[in-house]
Amino acid sequence: MDEKDSKSRFNHDKVSLDKLSSASSDAITKVDGSGRLLYADSKANNLLGLNEKDITGLSYENFDWRIIDFQGNDYPPEDLPFRIAQETGEPIKDVKLALEWPTGERKFLSINPTPLFDDQGNFEAALNLMEDVTEAEKEANGRRAQFEHLLRELSTRFLKRETSEHGPIIEEGLERIGKFLGVDRSYVFEFDREQGEMSNTNEWCGEGIEPQIDNLQGIPNSRFPALMNKLNDRENILIQYVSDLPESWEAEREVFESHDIQSLLVVPISRGSDLFGFAGFDSVRRNRKWGEKEVNLLRIFGNLVGAALFRQRSERKIEESEKGLELALEGGELGTWDWNVKTNELRFNKRWAEMLGYELEELEPHLSTWKEMVHPDDLPKAREKLNEHLEGKTDGYEAEFRMQHKSGDWIWVQAKGKVIERDEEGNSVRASGTHQDITDRKKAEQALNEERNKLKNLHDVVDELQQQDTEQDLLQHTIEVAERALEFEICSIMLVRGDQLVSEALSPGVAFKAPTSFKSNEGVAGETLQKGQTVWLDDVRNFSEAKEPADRFRAAISSPIGELGVIQVISEEVADFDKQDVELTEILAGHLREELKRVRLEGELRQQAIRDPLTGLYNRRYFNETLKKEVQKAERYENPLAFLMIDVNRFKEINDRYSHQTGDEVLREVANLLEENVRAADTVVRYGGDEFLVMMPETNGGSKNTVKRLQDKLSQWNRDSNLLDFPLTLAMGISHWSPNQDRNVEEALNEADKKMYKDKRR
């Protein structure tokens, strides 16, 4: 084809494509097999921020954007829409990708490529219909974040609550998820594997929807063969149209239609290899299409319920297997063992080892370890009782014998256990049980009876601690709890700050002679922290390391809050505390440690929401929130605001010549330079891409001094740094706003932005 014919054909194609464009709401582009852009309509130009002269004949690689997937990862070149169309020769639906500009702006696209062929049947180009789904994706991300927050909250509650409380948490989860997703009914079915049945254990129904839970008990699993096949393979079940189910689903379709279900989603409830049941979400009033990400999040809910049911069933199994053994689990004083009778593998827990003075890693997990540690005179009788139970002659195993401590001393141990698994012939396969120091158990039981009210009060106030949002509120509330619920007279909390222990909370009206902060290895608190153990003193005056105690201070308990600090309770009476007081303090310290970690984690998450992850500066979201407050303050006190807009010159060149990693390092260096050379009252923001913004309250003419200082520091940086082989420069623009100006603050920001770009063009 000569040049004239080629041009004529191009004009003809353009006319046809323009007609198609006018009839379509989507943006249209035409791309050949090498990625060269042959055509783009006006909607595509507007969407991509280009004009026809910019794009004619250029490849997608020539544009100033990065092609990524919706998660922000580089998009594989071989999976680009025009290449898929060329490879398959078929139209492709809904290829999702995003474009990211150097400024950080992203546009999310849904592309439908259709292959075009010449007269000989050779691939010529791909015709792409593009839809801007940016707003929809942002909305979906927002909803997904809310859903993820809901799942995290449910997960935390499952972990913190007893298994007896899991049912109400599941009920609440079904209701909140059901309302969030806009479904009509949500429910949980649990399987009874022994009976081969399923039962509806939890249900939530939307307004006007008839509950079905009472009608769905003890249903044979065989009634739903297709459903069970999917669940046994751990597959999600998505049904948009119940009426369109195939013949293989006839049994299920009849049941679904009898309950007026039009669409439903079922996710398995499992943990590891165990399938406990399923969670279902029904749409009765309308057909419903389920999104992939929505399904994945619901699958997480199924896993959460699975973990909760696993824990619930495990505890139930342990209770059943150890029924009649009267195990006192309070205080973690029991050592546990689990014995494989076939292989003689014998596993212990940490407490079992500690009871005998060992670290768990020092003990070989084998029956011979136990035999070697039992006193020779006691071993025959202990084995006799054990064998009687293994042979089924007794309901349980119980024996008392001596075991040798690592120190060489002998301690008396009470062993209890039971066979929890037998083979088809009735032979013992697995047994488990506990070891306990008899004296310690008796003391613990006695202490438990004496301190029942204090323990009850302590557990009642745990929820109060969980409601505190700040570290200081949590610490002060802990002081109140120690005084009110545990009846301690004086309480002090010190936290680790660097290499110091700092007094952070103290009972009202109490003053120490000792300093409010000291090195973390000094004093009673320092020893407590270093050893990680409670220090119990009848009289602090007899403890040489004590930091100048007040004259009236006598008895004291000092317990570590993990690695975070120390809590101390003090009495004005000598030897005023007993072992139960020590245990209560340690329990309180344990709760305080967990809540401190929670509050700090929540604080970190709040910071992540307002901080740029690359530079550590505030992000644009934080700036928008802060700007409103600064404007209100400026209007109240009639103070000016200054805005300094900053852009890194030649930043694209830095990325291209060096690497994106070097570009990131340059952004971090600029961020440090800005933070170190502005006032504490100023707010430094990563505004987008390689742009920064400094908001300076109560500033007018002084902002010029800031610019001069930044320029001087940048010159010094250029002399000292070998990061680049050319001087780094910044384009800057300043504007000022005050309440008496006849313009709004957004106009002042635009002025700073324009001045910055004017400076950039110099």
Side-chain angles (χ1 to χ4, degrees):
M1 182 181 296
D2 60 23
E3 181 178 350
K4 181 177 180 181
D5 290 338
S6 177
K7 183 174 183 181
S8 173
R9 180 173 178 179
F10 173 78
N11 290 333
H12 175 74
D13 286 349
K14 185 176 186 306
V15 171
S16 300
L17 291 172
D18 285 343
K19 289 182 180 180
L20 177 61
S21 173
S22 64
S24 173
S25 60
D26 293 332
I28 298 176
T29 63
K30 182 178 179 183
V31 181
D32 69 13
S34 66
R36 189 164 56 96
L37 197 56
L38 304 178
Y39 171 85
D41 67 359
S42 59
K43 293 188 287 293
N45 288 330
N46 291 334
L47 178 60
L48 304 177
L50 304 170
N51 59 59
E52 188 171 354
K53 292 182 179 180
D54 289 331
I55 62 177
T56 303
L58 292 180
S59 168
Y60 74 93
E61 297 174 330
N62 299 127
F63 297 104
D64 192 22
W65 59 52
R66 186 166 69 101
I67 304 176
I68 58 177
D69 60 25
F70 275 24
Q71 285 72 47
N73 305 309
D74 286 327
Y75 204 91
E78 65 273 13
D79 291 341
L80 289 171
F82 69 90
R83 292 212 167 114
I84 299 177
Q86 180 180 13
E87 180 179 345
T88 63
E90 299 287 341
I92 309 297
K93 288 187 178 181
D94 197 23
V95 179
K96 294 187 182 298
L97 56 78
L99 302 179
E100 183 182 66
W101 279 263
T103 60
E105 179 188 6
R106 288 183 181 179
K107 286 192 177 179
F108 297 85
L109 307 176
S110 174
I111 302 177
N112 298 292
T114 299
L116 303 176
F117 304 91
D118 61 20
D119 296 338
Q120 286 74 43
N122 299 315
F123 178 85
E124 182 179 58
L127 186 67
N128 302 308
L129 301 183
M130 300 190 302
E131 180 184 1
D132 185 352
V133 295
T134 302
E135 292 304 317
E137 181 63 12
K138 288 181 180 178
E139 181 180 353
N141 284 336
R143 284 178 57 79
R144 190 156 56 249
Q146 293 177 28
F147 201 171
E148 290 171 349
H149 177 77
L150 171 58
L151 292 177
R152 285 195 298 270
E153 180 183 341
L154 292 174
S155 175
T156 301
R157 294 178 64 188
F158 276 130
L159 290 172
K160 288 188 175 182
R161 301 293 185 181
E162 299 294 329
T163 54
S164 60
E165 300 178 72
H166 285 176
I169 298 175
I170 294 174
E171 298 273 7
E172 181 183 345
L174 290 173
E175 178 180 356
R176 293 176 66 181
I177 292 174
K179 290 179 177 179
F180 186 87
L181 297 177
V183 298
D184 299 311
R185 184 187 295 116
S186 55
Y187 47 84
V188 166
F189 275 73
E190 289 186 39
F191 294 141
D192 184 339
R193 286 297 186 185
E194 293 182 1
Q195 300 297 324
E197 296 176 345
M198 64 176 74
S199 294
N200 188 181
T201 55
N202 307 88
E203 180 188 47
W204 169 83
C205 294
E207 186 175 353
I209 302 300
E210 188 72 17
Q212 300 294 331
I213 189 168
D214 292 337
N215 304 322
L216 299 171
Q217 302 298 315
I219 303 171
N221 295 344
S222 57
R223 186 177 173 185
F224 303 111
L227 179 75
M228 290 304 301
N229 286 338
K230 292 283 188 181
L231 291 173
N232 285 329
D233 290 337
R234 306 301 190 270
E235 292 182 25
N236 302 322
I237 302 170
L238 288 77
I239 302 175
Q240 185 175 357
Y241 299 101
V242 168
S243 58
D244 291 344
L245 284 171
E247 286 186 11
S248 59
W249 283 75
E250 182 178 357
E252 287 83 356
R253 184 177 65 247
E254 290 180 1
V255 174
F256 297 158
E257 290 179 343
S258 70
H259 293 95
D260 299 323
I261 300 171
Q262 296 191 44
S263 305
L264 75 155
L265 165 65
V266 172
V267 295
I269 294 176
S270 62
R271 186 182 187 276
S273 61
D274 295 320
L275 178 66
F276 299 114
F278 59 89
F281 305 85
D282 293 348
S283 182
V284 175
R285 297 184 176 93
R286 62 183 177 89
N287 291 116
R288 172 69 180 268
K289 182 178 181 181
W290 307 94
E292 179 182 354
K293 294 176 180 176
E294 205 171 46
V295 174
N296 290 338
L297 291 172
L298 290 173
R299 183 65 180 261
I300 294 174
F301 173 72
N303 292 340
L304 289 177
V305 176
L309 293 179
F310 176 83
R311 178 181 166 197
Q312 188 178 83
R313 294 188 181 190
S314 296
E315 292 184 2
R316 189 183 305 153
K317 186 174 182 180
I318 291 173
E319 290 172 0
E320 291 173 353
S321 67
E322 296 178 347
K323 186 177 181 180
L325 296 182
E326 300 176 355
L327 301 178
L329 295 172
E330 286 80 3
E333 294 298 319
L334 289 176
T336 63
W337 51 268
D338 192 327
W339 177 30
N340 185 322
V341 182
K342 299 293 186 182
T343 65
N344 278 334
E345 180 183 22
L346 182 61
R347 294 195 172 274
F348 327 100
N349 72 346
K350 183 179 180 182
R351 176 57 188 156
W352 195 100
E354 290 176 344
M355 189 184 302
L356 297 162
Y358 292 90
E359 296 292 333
L360 188 58
E361 296 76 13
E362 296 180 80
L363 299 176
E364 182 184 359
H366 195 271
L367 182 65
S368 59
T369 300
W370 173 77
K371 290 180 179 178
E372 292 168 3
M373 299 175 77
V374 175
H375 196 288
D377 294 343
D378 300 337
L379 183 60
K381 188 65 176 178
R383 294 197 63 181
E384 178 184 345
K385 291 191 173 184
L386 181 59
N387 288 332
E388 286 176 353
H389 177 60
L390 294 178
E391 294 167 4
K393 296 178 180 179
T394 60
D395 292 334
Y397 157 65
E398 182 172 345
E400 295 178 2
F401 45 81
R402 288 165 289 179
M403 295 188 73
Q404 192 166 34
H405 192 276
K406 187 177 181 180
S407 65
D409 297 329
W410 295 93
I411 66 168
W412 278 97
V413 170
Q414 183 183 62
K416 294 183 179 183
K418 194 168 187 177
V419 172
I420 61 174
E421 184 179 351
R422 294 183 183 272
D423 61 20
E424 295 178 355
E425 298 177 355
N427 298 316
S428 301
V429 174
R430 183 178 165 214
S432 66
T434 62
H435 275 189
Q436 185 177 18
D437 184 298
I438 298 171
T439 305
D440 287 345
R441 187 192 69 187
K442 290 179 179 178
K443 289 182 178 179
E445 290 173 351
Q446 182 182 359
L448 184 62
N449 291 329
E450 293 175 351
E451 297 297 320
R452 181 173 297 168
N453 290 334
K454 287 186 179 181
L455 272 174
K456 182 179 182 302
N457 290 338
L458 178 60
H459 289 294
D460 287 345
V461 299
V462 169
D463 282 343
E464 296 179 32
L465 299 184
Q466 293 174 346
Q467 295 170 14
Q468 307 309 309
D469 296 326
T470 68
E471 189 168 298
Q472 191 55 45
D473 288 345
L474 173 63
L475 298 179
Q476 199 56 49
H477 204 79
T478 303
I479 297 288
E480 295 172 9
V481 166
E483 296 174 349
R484 169 169 51 86
L486 306 184
E487 301 177 0
F488 292 145
E489 297 176 26
I490 302 168
C491 185
S492 168
I493 299 174
M494 286 161 281
L495 297 183
V496 175
R497 307 291 189 193
D499 64 346
Q500 298 282 307
L501 265 173
V502 180
S503 178
E504 299 284 358
L506 183 64
S507 295
V510 177
F512 286 110
K513 287 183 179 181
T516 57
S517 66
F518 45 86
K519 290 185 178 180
S520 58
N521 60 354
E522 296 179 347
V524 179
E527 177 166 324
T528 303
L529 184 67
Q530 295 299 313
K531 291 185 176 180
Q533 296 177 347
T534 297
V535 176
W536 176 14
L537 302 173
D538 287 338
D539 191 339
V540 293
R541 295 189 175 193
N542 297 332
F543 190 76
S544 60
E545 298 296 324
K547 284 280 186 179
E548 298 184 49
D551 293 338
R552 69 181 196 275
F553 291 169
R554 290 294 186 268
I557 301 171
S558 180
S559 290
I561 311 170
E563 71 286 359
L564 306 181
V566 174
I567 182 171
Q568 295 183 328
V569 293
I570 302 167
S571 172
E572 297 180 0
E573 301 293 331
V574 174
D576 196 31
F577 297 126
D578 57 21
K579 189 173 187 295
Q580 286 70 42
D581 293 320
V582 173
E583 292 175 351
L584 289 169
T585 304
E586 290 174 341
I587 292 172
L588 180 60
H591 285 302
L592 177 57
R593 176 178 179 271
E594 293 306 311
E595 295 309 312
L596 273 172
K597 291 169 67 176
R598 172 187 62 81
V599 168
R600 290 180 177 181
L601 177 59
E602 290 173 352
E604 291 174 5
L605 293 176
R606 284 193 292 269
Q607 284 297 306
Q608 291 174 13
I610 62 174
R611 293 281 184 177
D612 169 52
L614 176 64
T615 63
L617 298 179
Y618 289 116
N619 58 24
R620 196 162 180 170
R621 171 185 175 184
Y622 176 80
F623 168 72
N624 291 334
E625 295 174 354
T626 306
L627 178 61
K628 296 176 185 178
K629 299 176 183 178
E630 290 296 341
V631 168
Q632 292 172 354
K633 189 187 300 182
E635 290 174 340
R636 186 182 306 120
Y637 299 107
E638 297 185 356
N639 289 326
L641 277 174
F643 300 100
L644 174 59
M645 197 76 74
I646 301 162
D647 184 89
V648 179
N649 291 326
R650 302 171 67 179
F651 187 68
K652 184 177 185 303
E653 179 183 346
I654 293 171
N655 278 334
D656 293 343
R657 282 185 54 189
Y658 297 92
S659 68
H660 285 282
Q661 288 77 14
T662 301
D664 289 347
E665 184 61 29
V666 167
L667 293 177
R668 284 191 287 266
E669 291 290 324
V670 171
N672 291 337
L673 184 143
L674 295 176
E675 279 202 307
E676 291 172 358
N677 292 283
V678 298
R679 304 172 307 166
D682 298 337
T683 301
V684 184
V685 178
R686 186 180 180 194
Y687 203 60
D690 58 341
E691 291 186 3
F692 299 86
L693 172 65
V694 182
M695 178 171 62
M696 297 175 280
E698 302 180 28
T699 306
N700 200 336
S703 59
K704 293 181 180 179
N705 296 331
T706 300
V707 172
K708 178 65 168 59
R709 183 166 58 254
L710 291 174
Q711 289 171 336
D712 291 343
K713 292 294 184 180
L714 181 60
S715 297
Q716 181 64 45
W717 183 89
N718 280 318
R719 288 192 295 271
D720 296 340
S721 175
N722 58 2
L723 188 61
L724 306 174
D725 61 4
F726 60 83
L728 178 67
T729 60
L730 302 176
M732 302 188 195
I734 308 174
S735 68
H736 300 87
W737 178 85
S738 62
N740 57 15
Q741 290 181 358
D742 189 20
R743 62 173 181 171
N744 58 39
V745 72
E746 285 76 15
E747 291 173 307
L749 278 169
N750 289 336
E751 178 190 351
D753 192 56
K754 290 177 182 178
K755 287 183 177 180
M756 177 192 72
Y757 277 106
K758 183 178 179 180
D759 185 41
K760 192 174 185 71
R761 289 191 292 269
R762 291 179 182 175

